[in-house]
Amino acid sequence: MPAFCRDCLVPLETGPRCPRCRSFRVARHPELFDLSIAHMDCDAFYASVEKRDNPELADKPVIVGGGRRGVVSTACYIARIRGVHSAMPMFRALKLCPDAVVVKPRMNVYAEVSRAIRSMMDELTPAVEPLSLDEAFMDLTGTARLHGAPPAVMLARLVRRMRDELGVTGSIGLSHNKFLAKIASDLDKPNGFSVIGQEETLDFLAEKPVSMIWGVGASGQAALDRTGIRTFSDLRRWEERDLIARFGSMGHRLWHLARGQDIRRVSANTPVKSISNETTFHEDTGDAEILDGHLWRMAEKVADRAKAKRRAGRVVTLKLKRADHSLITRRHALREPTQMADTIYATARHLFDQVGQNGRYRLLGVGISEISDAADADVSGDLLDPQAAQRRAAERAADSIRARFGTGAILKGRAMR
Amino acid sequence: MKFSIERGTLLKAVSQAQSVVERRNTIPILANVLIEAEGDQVQFRATDLDIEVVDKTPAQVERAGATTVSATMLHEIVRKLPDGALVTLVDDSAAGRLSVEAGRSHFSLATLPKEDFPVMASSEYHSNFSAKAPELRRLFDKSKFAISNEETRYYLNGVYMHVADGEEGRALRCVATDGHRLARIDAALPAGAEDMPGVIVPRKTVGELRKLLEDDEMDIAVSVSETKIRFATPDITLTSKVIDGTFPDYTRVIPQGNTRKMEVDASDFARAVDRVATVSSERSRAVKLQIDDDRLVLSVNAPDSGAAEEELAVAYSDERLEIGFNAKYLLEIASQVDRENAVFLFNSAGDPTLMREGNDTSAVYVVMPMRV
């Protein structure tokens, strides 16, 4: 059976250990050298970067997240043992793990590490599809001749390089499609290497819960649950047309996924559909000035990202979460796409005013969608707002000052609120 | 209630009613038309709570009375009846039905009690004056294309009708703008309109009003208050709330110092713009104008779909200019010109451009350029 040592990357015959480096970390699978769709997922990425940069944290439980009121972005594996997981409210995480060190996220550092990982992945294949800063799909089909090694070995080399050069670890899932590769990467975390072959696909999925399907959230699961579908075998008992009748277009996908079939390609440039930013406040607030300050900062962040990507959006969305966690979203379509913070802010501000003073809020978010190229953005002026052109010019000027002297070099007064 | 009426007369009254009623409403009675028969005439009343239209028409009334019935359904029925048919409407209030009979066709429609029908509160009007139908038609027809759809600036969702100092004395003026183009149309000030408060007439009202203005000989009685406006012919009365808001100071928007003058045959220009815009992308529809020495080159360059260019002879003697516009805006403005040449007055590629019909200053248009 094909096998190799994940530490020294040499092929093996039999036995549980590598004869050369005595490592137990051996990848072995009948289809090991035939599979080429992979999912790479970094292990507790933000927390690992923090531990790398501050060795004192190495043996402490570390939680990366925003303040007491925020949620956990990432918890390191020590904190995870205590039951902390990402998206958990911080107060609950700290109740479970009072001695945790809470670190504020340093997104630009993570983004830098992510870029380094990306360039390593780009060396393996042009078909890299990042899902976020710390995970990506890769299609290594047909690269074995070029690299002189099968995809599995190249992937093991990738995570080894990430560990050696960047100080972060990742887990690899290797299979014959994206759906299974993503499931596989989660099977053996951290520092894992899992393979799901063609041969075993049906048996592997049989008794697994359908909640494994990416995109089936709590409500989707509840809907499946009501029809008595809990596992993949349950799902397989359904006819395709019945699933479609019940779940719409998702039904078609469910039928195929039940059989471990997924024809989605690994696509290097999935178009951006929206750009958004949101923040959970340190404490609930109904203060108009404070909320206005948040509105501006969110609008500015969205604009910054749009400008960085050379993109613009025609629809502005405002998202608010009340103190009781109920959600309000409002959207407004502009006549032409924009990437200006000034316009995004003014539109979001208008949407905010339409919602009216509605008590206290815990979260505010601003986003743009219906994304298009920056060349189509902000092309016409407004007769009734002759200053708009000047404000745009001022924003561009402030952008170039920030590009040269740093993000804090120049700020709007309302950003300080 | 029982009366008979000729199909054509009924259709005219009912079609006005059905265009006023709200299509998607939550209050069922608002979908209905109130029919009141008395003496030798029948009155049809419809409202969406913002606009009310009352149409009086003679009929052979056998039994006076009133009821309400779905305006769209009645309209559909009458529309499908043969021309020249005599239609008899009989109300059976006990059964809650209105029967509609014409020849061998018989319909029975559900009614709602007339007491539930909301009648718009009458109000005091500040000023009352009379205007010729063609005058009003010109004021609204030439300005309505610039009405904004943007909900955020609701005060632009109509035509601002007010008294202003025109180039030739006091004028009744209509202005509409959506921030990208603006139309300012003047008419001689009718007697009695001097003290009229400026009002923003909503888009839907402008559309309904248009149906009252077809007859060139007709005098329209106009009544205006701070909150309402009423247009009346002997048969039809259209009452509308006006938009509660302040129309922006448009005078600052109309450029005064534009000196670079281009004169072009309006219909040649419109057709050329239309042709080159064919290749433009749906999203931006930008047309570039290059003007140099009595020569105008219109061009569109859409990387995804193609490019187009067309040359036109114009009168232009200023220095070379390159300026971009939204093709749709240019077309709409150029198509307002009836007889004369279109005169464009430019400043720079970033400044608003002014357009008028020949030397006529009673109709002025402004359009904002776009980056090309």
Side-chain angles (χ1 to χ4, degrees), chain B residues 60-138:
Chain B
Q60 304 157 27
V61 180
E62 270 180 54
R63 195 162 65 242
T67 190
T68 82
V69 68
S70 162
T72 28
M73 196 173 292
L74 183 60
H75 174 252
E76 280 299 287
I77 289 169
V78 178
R79 194 174 62 80
K80 291 170 184 171
L81 290 175
D83 215 7
L86 186 70
V87 189
T88 305
L89 287 88
V90 187
D91 173 38
D92 180 352
S93 50
R97 286 285 186 273
L98 175 78
S99 89
V100 180
E101 283 171 52
R104 292 191 212 172
S105 311
H106 179 95
F107 303 88
S108 176
L109 306 179
T111 61
L112 286 170
K114 63 171 195 294
E115 291 76 22
D116 295 353
F117 195 86
V119 174
M120 198 178 264
S122 62
S123 56
E124 290 285 304
Y125 290 101
H126 283 262
S127 45
N128 299 282
F129 59 90
S130 167
K132 291 268 177 226
E135 286 276 275
L136 286 178
R137 203 161 65 204
R138 175 173 171 275

Side-chain angles (χ1 to χ4, degrees), chain A residues 26-159:
Chain A
V26 171
R28 178 176 280 128
H29 192 277
E31 299 172 37
L32 184 63
F33 294 150
D34 307 326
L35 300 167
S36 55
I37 310 284
H39 179 251
M40 191 287 296
D41 193 5
C42 293
D43 304 321
F45 183 55
Y46 299 175
S48 306
V49 174
E50 293 303 333
K51 289 195 180 197
R52 176 195 78 175
D53 291 353
N54 184 358
E56 272 176 35
L57 299 176
D59 53 356
K60 297 196 176 80
V62 171
I63 297 175
V64 179
R68 273 203 72 82
R69 293 264 320 189
V71 291
V72 174
S73 290
T74 310
C76 77
Y77 280 86
I78 303 172
R80 286 189 197 190
I81 291 167
R82 311 272 196 82
V84 179
H85 57 76
S86 48
M88 177 184 265
M90 193 60 86
F91 71 90
R92 199 173 300 152
L94 290 174
K95 210 174 277 175
L96 289 168
C97 188
D99 55 332
V101 182
V102 179
V103 185
K104 275 200 162 185
R106 297 179 298 153
M107 294 312 293
N108 44 358
V109 178
Y110 311 147
E112 203 171 296
V113 180
S114 176
R115 272 195 294 275
I117 298 173
R118 174 66 195 260
S119 67
M120 290 180 185
M121 293 191 287
D122 287 343
E123 288 176 26
L124 298 188
T125 169
V128 178
E129 180 183 333
L131 294 178
S132 63
L133 285 182
D134 61 344
E135 56 176 318
F137 286 113
M138 283 166 278
D139 184 351
L140 281 83
T141 309
T143 61
R145 286 269 299 271
L146 175 71
H147 295 308
V153 174
M154 294 311 293
L155 290 161
R157 177 175 291 163
L158 167 74
V159 282

Side-chain angles (χ1 to χ4, degrees), chain A residues 314 332 335-337 350 354 370-372 374-385 396, chain B residues 150-153 156 177-182 248 253 283-284 329 352 366-371:
Chain A
R314 206 176 64 86
H332 179 77
R335 209 150 5 168
E336 64 185 21
H350 175 79
Q354 278 186 332
E370 286 196 20
I371 301 296
S372 61
D376 296 337
D378 306 296
V379 284
S380 39
D382 188 338
L383 277 170
L384 300 170
D385 188 3
R396 298 263 181 233
Chain B
E150 216 183 319
E151 282 168 45
T152 46
R153 294 192 281 190
L156 300 180
T177 181
D178 64 357
H180 292 252
R181 53 262 168 82
L182 176 143
V253 170
R283 234 173 227 287
S284 66
Y329 299 163
V366 182
V367 60
M368 199 68 190
M370 78 195 274
R371 201 181 66 220

